[in-house]
Amino acid sequence: MGKTIFRENFHQADWDEPIIYEMSTPGVRGILVPEPDQKIKDRAGDVLAKIPASLRRKEEPNLPEVSQKHVLMHWTHLAQETMGSNLTNDISEGTCTMKYNPRINEELVENTDFSLLHPEQSEETVQGILEIYSEFENIVKEVSGLDKATLQPGGGNHAVYTAASIVRKYWEEKGELEQRDEIITTIFSHPCDAATPKTAGFKVITLQPDEQGLPDIEALKEAVSERTAAIFMTNPEDIGLYNPKVDKFVEIVHEVGGLCFYDQANANAFLGVARAKEAGFDMCHFNVHKTFGTPHGGSGPGNGAFCCKQKLAKYLPVPTVEHDGDKYYPDYDRPHSIGKVRDFYGTAGVIVRAYAWVMAMGEEGLRETADISVINNNYLYRNLVEEVKGLSYCYPDNGLIRQEQVRYTWKELTDDTGVDTLAIERRIADYGIQHYWTSHEPWLIPEPMTLEPCESYSKDDLDEYIKVLKRIAEEAYQDPEMVKNAPHKAASRKRKDDNMLDDPERWALTWRAYQKKKDKIHAD
Amino acid sequence: MKKVGFIVNPIAGMGGKVALKGTDGENIVEKAKELGAEQESPQKAEMALESLKTELKEADQIKLITFPHLMGEELLKKSGLNYQVIGSIEKNNTTAEDTKRAARLMKEEHKVDLLLFAGGDGTARDVYDALELEVPALGIPAGVKIHSAVYATTPQNAGIIAARFIKGQISATEEAEVMDIDEKEFRKGRVTAKLYGYLKVPVERRLRQNLKSGSADSEERAAEAIAAGIIEVMEKDCLYLVGPGTTTRPIMQKLNLDYSLLGVDAVANKELIGLDLREADILQLLKKYSKAKIIVTAIGGQGYIFGRGNQQFSEKVLNKVGKKNIIVAATRNKLSALNGPLLIDTPDPSLNKELAGYYKVVIGHQDFMMQKAE
């Protein structure tokens, strides 16, 4: 963008779009499949009879019957009612690191030399993609300083779960799993740092913040014992504070024999500045979509690049990508491996995009990414706090420099006007910006808002955001009821009952569930 | 049309500014008046009514049922809200009995959907006596002492929650503690708080005291997960002394045992050993069992794990059981809402010091939070 844009007259399309099942007319078809030739029929025989009876449907599926034209209209309308990524000013999504995803990388993965590859092709014919895997592994090894990497996990949480599985395997092989049954994490770490160890069967102990907002090191000293299997921690934490004592945390856990996992999902603040190795960690991971410029999956394909020290390398999931001096090959012959975490090679398209992104940025570019992210964030938060009435941020004046994101608090504005953070995040949609991220629950910072302007945003983007929040704060003081009932110009509406999502009887994710629950859903 | 009971305890809060620490008991009211105390409760109740009216927008959606004079009538007359006066009181004098009578009439004869009351801990107790868990209630904070978790954070927020509840924007309720302290002791500088019971209170994410997020449902499920985790690691032949509270209640429920919500119960080998025990009973049991553990939760939203609401865990009991055998349980939300450490306030300062430090608080099934106690 060349100048600051303030979309005062924004209005989103509102198509009053029905659910596709409500558009259904019996007998209407999108595609009329022609009858097969008699020859084919004769050759194939009774196809249905060849499907085992247990797999055959007894009745036809209940699918919407809609023409192609109406399906296309329907999805286009829905697309116009969203505020997806690369569409608006995505600074809103703090902790998500919404970067620009270069279009040229989409071209690369659409190239048929890549897109027509089949995962069961012989090794000799897929040397190119294996080389890209190997090269990108080398990149994440360099960025983390650790010895060995895998690109198998299909996303950030999956990589953290891989870490938890490796911890379990490590203690199992040492014969100490029964005793080492506790994993420690911190409350401002990503929630998967608690959830995935739990899924892997560990007890989880969470540390609270100290007065400075950093994880309480005294609590860690009390928490560690001969039961400690590992610590899983994020840094900078979710509130944007970098823990300068992170190496001390690692030391304390190592002293009792525990392993240390560094959640670097978002490594934007320290690319080329600090590494997991120097802080003493045994393992780490990167969310490729947060740090290396690939699109956010939205539950679609993602990738979590996992790195570890040599002593844990034998536990990595299969296959690892190896080179025998002559050619690359996927290595399945790893007896200590935790096994497979993903089919075939994982999400190859994401790796191609990430590799292309890093190669385009270069070593200096990665470092510049960190610098710009931190500068952008510091510009944004200082201006917001100075200019926006009723807005402050967590742990002010604690002597720590803010890194790539900040958790703000609207408490003062809420106390003054009754307008809470949920109303403000709805109102922001009326200015053509998607709702912002508040915080993980429970809210330790009252009325939270978390913003993250990474390196993709220009000063004009930041100024647009500041201008919009300043306007909304003014509106809250002048006309609180209007803000409370926002959005007014967006496709979505305010929920009637804030608590309705807590009651599974009052919402539905599928048409079938909706049919069962609709009386309760519409009861109010 | 929804009906809302509205009771003001006009003398609540009078003691505060003249440092009398509460107004329970008639002599104290006289003394407060002599010291120049003014009635503050009606002003606070008025603020709540104003925000109720603003939030409702159409004031005719409800009918307020109230008692005469300062117990509600005078404020409603000014408010422009639709109301009906019931009962009778002496014009310039109200007592705890009036509050109880009003609440009972509103529940039984007028079948109110919600009871909004202004006062402090004493008022909450009176309301609890009349309602128990049958009718949802919400406190407008106006008293000197507020240890009960049934009050909104501010009078304005009480009005907002009440309006949202009436409009159906809030449908969930949860049991919140009614606590009170002995004012005579309090005036001597000693806090002895007792847990009297629970009122059913609308759950609003952030506008009620000490509750920041989460729903009633998720709180109940969290307490069940805590119970499952504790039961799973119960040791053989160990005496478990289960303290009061809704967080510890599911332990007894999951074991299919009787329980006293407000008292201390004893369990060993998953069998009930004693119900609603006094200190002496507990000491007796401690002689019998070589291993014993105490299970407690923070009561009243202020973070006290000992010394308030569970004095059965006396200094002698605590000394005998020892810090390493204390299991603290609390839901993640309640713990986060404390905004400070857990608190210990037994009459013995050296014991308090001994029990201080970090606890691995059980917050779910195999889920713990390191929390400091002071």
Side-chain angles (χ1 to χ4, degrees):
Chain A
M1 279 179 216
K3 61 176 182 133
T4 306
I5 294 172
F6 182 58
R7 293 182 167 83
E8 194 155 20
N9 297 315
F10 169 83
H11 202 300
Q12 194 172 21
D14 183 352
W15 288 99
D16 194 17
E17 191 67 12
I19 290 169
I20 195 159
Y21 275 95
E22 293 170 323
M23 296 165 66
S24 182
T25 308
V28 171
R29 289 290 175 271
I31 299 168
L32 293 173
V33 183
E35 279 285 303
D37 290 347
Q38 192 55 44
K39 265 189 194 167
I40 295 172
K41 276 187 184 173
D42 294 342
R43 181 117 184 237
D46 188 353
V47 178
L48 285 181
K50 290 175 188 165
I51 299 172
S54 61
L55 294 180
R56 261 181 265 153
R57 283 186 162 277
K58 292 186 179 60
E59 54 197 53
E60 287 190 3
N62 176 20
L63 296 174
E65 297 172 82
V66 187
S67 72
Q68 272 192 39
K69 178 187 184 301
H70 290 101
V71 170
L72 179 63
M73 264 168 55
H74 179 66
W75 290 108
T76 309
H77 291 168
L78 292 182
Q80 289 175 359
E81 290 185 341
T82 67
M83 286 196 179
S85 69
N86 294 319
L87 181 71
T88 79
N89 195 331
D90 293 330
I91 289 170
S92 285
E93 300 307 301
T95 79
C96 287
T97 323
M98 303 300 290
K99 296 192 177 196
Y100 173 65
N101 315 125
R103 295 298 94 187
I104 192 165
N105 295 344
E106 301 305 310
E107 298 274 329
L108 289 176
V109 289
E110 280 164 21
N111 182 324
T112 50
D113 286 350
F114 169 74
S115 65
L116 294 181
L117 287 178
H118 191 280
E120 287 194 308
Q121 274 178 240
S122 64
E123 286 160 33
E124 295 76 29
T125 65
V126 291
Q127 285 295 300
I129 185 67
L130 289 176
E131 186 178 350
I132 289 177
Y133 263 65
S134 179
E135 286 296 307
F136 190 62
E137 281 180 8
N138 288 337
I139 288 165
V140 290
K141 274 158 38 184
E142 185 59 36
V143 173
S144 67
L146 299 183
D147 305 319
K148 183 84 180 159
T150 176
L151 306 176
Q152 286 287 315
N157 291 349
H158 198 186
V160 184
Y161 182 62
T162 301
S165 304
I166 286 175
V167 171
R168 189 175 55 199
K169 187 82 176 172
Y170 173 81
W171 290 114
E172 194 182 322
E173 292 213 345
K174 283 175 90 80
E176 293 178 41
L177 185 58
E178 210 167 303
Q179 176 199 320
R180 299 274 183 178
D181 63 351
E182 294 178 351
I183 286 186
I184 299 167
T185 186
T186 73
I187 202 159
F188 289 133
S189 283
H190 296 136
C192 62
D193 294 330
T196 60
K198 198 79 184 292
T199 310
F202 290 99
K203 291 177 186 162
V204 173
I205 302 172
T206 306
L207 307 179
Q208 308 244 43
D210 63 14
E211 280 154 15
Q212 229 185 343
L214 298 172
D216 184 348
I217 198 163
E218 296 306 317
L220 176 70
K221 288 176 189 166
E222 292 286 327
V224 292
S225 71
E226 70 290 347
R227 304 204 75 91
T228 306
I231 188 167
F232 279 39
M233 61 189 295
T234 306
N235 190 33
E237 291 196 297
D238 221 13
I239 53 173
L241 290 179
Y242 186 87
N243 179 356
K245 292 178 281 191
V246 66
D247 51 343
K248 299 280 178 299
F249 277 67
V250 170
E251 259 175 50
I252 291 167
V253 176
H254 278 165
E255 271 169 25
V256 297
L259 295 169
C260 298
F261 169 73
Y262 191 173
D263 179 334
Q264 302 189 121
N266 169 4
N268 244 32
F270 53 86
L271 275 175
V273 181
R275 305 195 302 176
K277 179 189 178 179
E278 280 72 30
F281 283 96
D282 304 297
M283 300 165 274
C284 75
H285 93 289
F286 304 97
N287 281 15
V288 168
H289 56 272
K290 286 188 184 180
T291 303
F292 299 113
T294 65
H296 280 56
S299 303
N303 183 269
F306 175 87
C307 308
C308 65
K309 279 187 179 161
Q310 193 57 43
K311 71 171 182 179
L312 299 172
K314 60 182 177 179
Y315 305 114
L316 286 173
V318 287
T320 55
V321 175
E322 306 294 343
H323 193 257
D324 63 9
D326 183 31
K327 62 174 188 336
Y328 294 96
Y329 67 99
D331 184 7
Y332 286 90
D333 185 18
R334 302 177 68 83
H336 298 278
S337 165
I338 58 167
K340 273 178 110 29
V341 297
R342 187 91 189 183
D343 293 341
F344 302 110
Y345 299 105
T347 46
V350 178
I351 304 303
V352 173
R353 290 180 181 93
Y355 177 67
W357 188 85
V358 175
M359 295 310 283
M361 297 293 281
E363 191 183 331
E364 284 174 14
L366 293 186
R367 168 67 200 238
E368 210 179 342
T369 293
D371 290 345
I372 296 176
S373 298
V374 174
I375 292 167
N376 268 0
N377 182 47
N378 278 271
Y379 175 84
L380 180 74
Y381 104 81
R382 285 182 197 190
N383 279 284
L384 281 176
V385 171
E386 264 172 37
E387 290 190 25
V388 180
K389 195 177 173 191
L391 181 68
S392 181
Y393 61 107
C394 69
Y395 303 104
D397 311 320
N398 64 353
L400 293 170
I401 292 165
R402 263 53 191 176
Q403 299 275 319
E404 84 298 357
Q405 63 192 30
V406 167
R407 182 150 301 155
Y408 300 84
T409 171
W410 289 104
K411 185 169 186 312
E412 191 187 326
L413 182 133
T414 306
D415 289 346
D416 290 348
T417 66
V419 174
D420 60 19
T421 188
L422 298 177
I424 299 167
E425 76 164 346
R426 290 194 305 272
R427 177 64 179 159
I428 204 168
D430 287 337
Y431 291 96
I433 294 177
Q434 67 168 315
H435 81 286
Y436 58 74
W437 166 236
T438 51
S439 155
H440 295 116
E441 303 248 341
W443 292 355
L444 297 188
I445 309 302
E447 304 303 327
M449 166 176 81
T450 311
L451 307 178
E452 181 184 9
C454 63
E455 80 283 1
S456 299
Y457 299 95
S458 66
K459 180 175 171 295
D460 294 312
D461 293 330
L462 305 180
D463 287 338
E464 176 193 10
Y465 214 94
I466 294 162
K467 211 168 169 184
V468 168
L469 286 184
K470 194 175 167 188
R471 167 67 68 86
I472 295 173
E474 285 164 6
E475 289 170 345
Y477 280 95
Q478 283 159 12
D479 187 359
E481 287 309 305
M482 184 276 288
V483 183
K484 281 182 197 174
N485 291 310
H488 303 285
K489 299 191 289 184
S492 51
R493 300 276 179 279
K494 180 178 185 283
R495 263 198 316 274
K496 202 176 151 203
D497 177 356
D498 285 343
N499 293 323
M500 74 179 289
L501 292 183
D502 291 331
D503 180 1
E505 289 304 312
R506 295 172 66 197
W507 48 263
L509 293 178
T510 64
W511 178 250
R512 198 191 299 182
Y514 174 72
Q515 291 300 315
K516 284 185 197 155
K517 300 178 185 175
K518 63 181 175 189
D519 290 344
K520 280 188 185 160
I521 290 172
H522 295 295
D524 303 323
Chain B
M1 181 180 289
K2 300 264 183 176
K3 288 186 191 169
V4 177
F6 180 66
I7 299 175
V8 179
N9 171 5
I11 58 165
M14 279 179 76
K17 289 196 179 153
V18 290
L20 281 179
K21 305 178 178 172
T23 47
D24 295 351
E26 276 185 49
N27 295 340
I28 294 298
V29 179
E30 289 309 314
K31 195 165 175 192
K33 283 181 187 163
E34 278 169 28
L35 286 168
E38 286 173 15
Q39 289 181 333
E40 292 183 12
S41 180
Q43 285 173 26
K44 290 182 174 161
E46 194 170 12
M47 290 182 210
L49 285 180
E50 272 167 29
S51 67
L52 172 78
K53 201 174 153 187
T54 313
E55 190 77 15
L56 275 177
K57 292 188 191 76
E58 292 165 38
D60 58 355
Q61 289 177 5
I62 61 162
K63 184 180 196 179
L64 287 124
I65 311 291
T66 195
F67 247 43
H69 313 302
L70 282 171
M71 280 189 76
E73 182 185 11
E74 288 178 19
L75 292 178
L76 284 169
K77 207 183 285 172
K78 289 193 278 178
S79 73
L81 287 155
N82 181 16
Y83 70 98
Q84 178 189 345
V85 182
I86 60 167
S88 63
I89 55 165
E90 268 183 58
K91 188 165 184 188
N92 292 317
N93 193 19
T94 64
T95 62
E97 277 314 310
D98 293 329
T99 304
K100 289 183 199 171
R101 196 157 48 86
R104 209 165 282 133
L105 272 175
M106 288 170 187
K107 176 180 86 168
E108 287 165 7
E109 290 185 21
H110 295 270
K111 311 236 178 296
V112 294
D113 298 287
L114 173 74
L115 177 60
L116 194 57
F117 63 93
D121 284 332
T123 321
R125 272 174 62 186
D126 297 334
V127 170
Y128 162 73
D129 278 347
L131 298 191
E132 294 192 342
L133 288 171
E134 289 167 47
V135 177
L138 177 67
I140 301 164
V144 179
K145 302 165 291 157
I146 302 239
H147 298 88
S148 302
V150 300
Y151 286 93
T153 46
T154 62
Q156 287 89 342
N157 284 342
I160 294 170
I161 298 173
R164 291 187 188 171
F165 186 71
I166 293 155
K167 288 196 286 187
Q169 288 171 343
I170 304 172
S171 50
T173 57
E174 71 166 9
E175 293 167 48
E177 291 122 335
V178 175
M179 307 268 297
D180 200 3
I181 56 172
D182 183 323
E183 286 190 10
K184 278 186 200 154
E185 288 289 310
F186 188 40
R187 285 183 199 106
K188 288 184 207 155
R190 269 286 310 140
V191 177
T192 51
K194 194 176 166 207
L195 174 62
Y196 280 90
Y198 290 82
L199 277 173
K200 197 159 79 174
V201 177
V203 177
E204 214 296 338
R205 285 187 148 229
R206 302 181 301 283
L207 302 179
R208 229 189 62 233
Q209 286 194 332
N210 301 313
L211 188 77
K212 281 185 184 162
S213 64
S215 65
D217 250 16
S218 59
E219 283 297 285
E220 265 174 43
R221 275 181 217 135
E224 282 177 19
I226 288 169
I230 288 175
I231 291 168
E232 206 171 272
V233 294
M234 276 189 164
E235 295 168 25
K236 196 168 173 267
D237 298 330
C238 178
L239 178 73
Y240 287 88
L241 297 162
V242 184
T246 49
T247 310
T248 51
R249 174 173 57 186
I251 299 173
M252 305 302 282
Q253 288 170 328
K254 275 187 183 290
L255 290 171
N256 281 324
L257 301 176
D258 274 351
Y259 59 88
S260 61
L261 184 56
L262 310 180
V264 174
D265 306 326
V267 177
N269 297 321
K270 302 187 179 171
E271 300 288 337
L272 186 68
I273 302 296
L275 204 57
D276 201 4
L277 302 168
R278 295 167 307 150
E279 181 203 7
D281 305 326
I282 297 172
L283 290 171
Q284 245 351 85
L285 283 173
L286 287 174
K287 281 185 194 155
K288 214 170 130 193
Y289 287 84
S290 57
K291 264 192 302 183
K293 289 180 193 282
I294 286 175
I295 306 172
V296 281
T297 186
I299 293 183
Q302 290 174 323
Y304 284 95
I305 50 172
F306 293 113
R308 306 277 169 98
N310 59 8
Q311 282 85 347
Q312 301 92 320
F313 293 132
S314 66
E315 301 91 289
K316 278 185 193 162
V317 171
L318 289 167
N319 273 317
K320 192 110 203 276
V321 175
K323 187 186 173 195
K324 70 177 173 28
N325 290 315
I326 293 168
I327 300 168
V328 182
T331 64
R332 189 184 285 263
N333 279 333
K334 282 203 173 145
L335 214 49
S336 309
L338 294 179
N339 266 339
L342 293 166
L343 301 169
I344 297 166
D345 187 27
T346 77
D348 177 358
S350 66
L351 176 65
N352 293 345
K353 214 170 164 186
E354 212 175 289
L355 295 177
Y358 287 91
Y359 284 84
K360 210 167 91 179
V361 178
V362 187
I363 57 169
H365 178 248
Q366 304 215 329
D367 209 353
F368 306 88
M369 183 91 78
M370 295 301 290
Q371 180 84 26
K372 206 175 191 173
E374 287 178 6

